[in-house]
Amino acid sequence: AQSVSQHNHHVILSEAASLELGCNYSYGGTVNLFWYVQYPGQHLQLLLKYFSGDPLVKGIKGFEAEFIKSKFSFNLRKPSVQWSDTAEYFCAVSPGSWGKLQFGAGTQVVVTP
Amino acid sequence: GAGVSQSPSNKVTEKGKDVELRCDPISGHTALYWYRQRLGQGLEFLIYFQGNSAPDKSGLPSDRFSAERTGESVSTLTIQRTQQEDSAVYLCASSLLGRAGDEQFFGPGTRLTVL
């Protein structure tokens, strides 16, 4: 079955530490890849997306993600996290031409001061 | 409007009752999506409306679930004869054209609790 897997369900780290969240998908063919974030008390919002072109994409708030087609991966990174990065992060895949998304289970990230 | 709005924000109902959840998308967005998020799980696609095309209902979990959309505006998700496993946050999103690369803008969700 087609799926999106996020490797960690819960991550705790200190401010200034580096963050990497793993995401793998099992779709063949053309895919569009997204990371969405939900800050406490706020709506889900787009962090970054890969549609085509440069596989290293940069998003808001210093986040970036790398699409590695051979590994079916789209890992999210940030070199130095801040307390305000505490949130739940969701990887999502949109296969084909139209926009419905399949989400991973999410990773809750807690950044301690 | 400024964003996607949903109502009610919370709904508590008894098993077996019907519920209606409402979504107002961003004005001008032709695509509208419904997802649900059960506790501790990711978002699960339910249904997708794109313009005047027939909706993609492939994610609806049973025939107790249905949804309608009036033109390119309001959508209503109806759950008949609710069950406890229907308890979840129901999220609505809209996007400009519904293409795969389009950003989806999410509403705040409706938290449904079935007792």
Side-chain angles (χ1 to χ4, degrees):
Chain A
Q2 297 170 327
S3 65
V4 180
S5 300
Q6 292 184 237
H7 307 308
N8 308 96
H9 293 297
H10 204 93
V11 172
I12 302 174
L13 61 167
S14 301
E15 277 191 310
S18 64
L19 173 69
E20 180 160 358
L21 302 181
C23 175
N24 287 88
Y25 61 93
S26 64
Y27 293 89
T30 302
V31 292
N32 303 279
L33 300 158
F34 303 80
W35 278 96
Y36 279 83
V37 61
Q38 187 166 27
Y39 298 103
Q42 296 187 26
H43 306 180
L44 264 172
Q45 60 184 281
L46 182 67
L47 198 55
L48 49 77
K49 68 178 181 180
Y50 172 78
F51 186 57
S52 64
D54 189 343
L56 183 63
V57 292
K58 296 191 183 297
I60 60 172
K61 304 187 179 184
F63 284 89
E64 65 178 30
E66 186 174 13
F67 170 49
I68 303 179
K69 189 175 182 180
S70 61
K71 295 186 178 180
F72 297 88
S73 70
F74 190 55
N75 292 353
L76 181 71
R77 298 192 292 253
K78 184 169 183 178
S80 177
V81 295
Q82 300 173 315
W83 177 80
S84 58
D85 294 322
T86 294
E88 190 158 18
Y89 294 80
F90 293 92
C91 180
V93 173
S94 177
S97 301
W98 299 102
K100 67 183 183 184
L101 295 171
Q102 179 153 2
F103 284 84
T107 300
Q108 180 67 50
V109 173
V110 176
V111 180
T112 60
Chain B
V4 178
S5 60
Q6 293 186 245
S7 60
S9 55
N10 281 285
K11 177 72 177 178
V12 180
T13 190
E14 294 178 345
K15 179 181 172 180
K17 301 278 189 181
D18 297 352
V19 295
E20 281 190 354
L21 312 179
R22 177 187 168 105
C23 172
D24 281 272
I26 293 172
S27 178
H29 279 195
T30 63
L32 186 148
Y33 310 80
W34 283 98
Y35 298 89
R36 76 174 173 184
Q37 185 177 21
R38 292 169 162 171
L39 190 63
Q41 299 184 27
L43 281 76
E44 177 187 3
F45 166 75
L46 297 177
I47 187 168
Y48 159 46
F49 296 89
Q50 169 55 49
N52 294 321
S53 302
D56 178 346
K57 303 180 182 180
S58 59
L60 294 178
S62 78
D63 59 7
R64 296 186 295 104
F65 287 72
S66 62
E68 293 183 346
R69 186 180 186 193
T70 307
E72 292 185 353
S73 61
V74 171
S75 176
T76 302
L77 178 69
T78 301
I79 309 174
Q80 296 179 309
R81 305 181 302 281
T82 52
Q83 303 294 312
Q84 289 182 333
E85 63 263 27
D86 299 334
S87 295
V89 176
Y90 289 81
L91 289 162
C92 177
S94 69
S95 71
L96 186 60
L97 296 175
R99 297 171 306 189
D102 289 351
E103 178 178 355
Q104 294 185 22
F105 294 83
F106 283 82
T110 294
R111 183 175 298 277
L112 175 66
T113 303
V114 182
L115 301 176

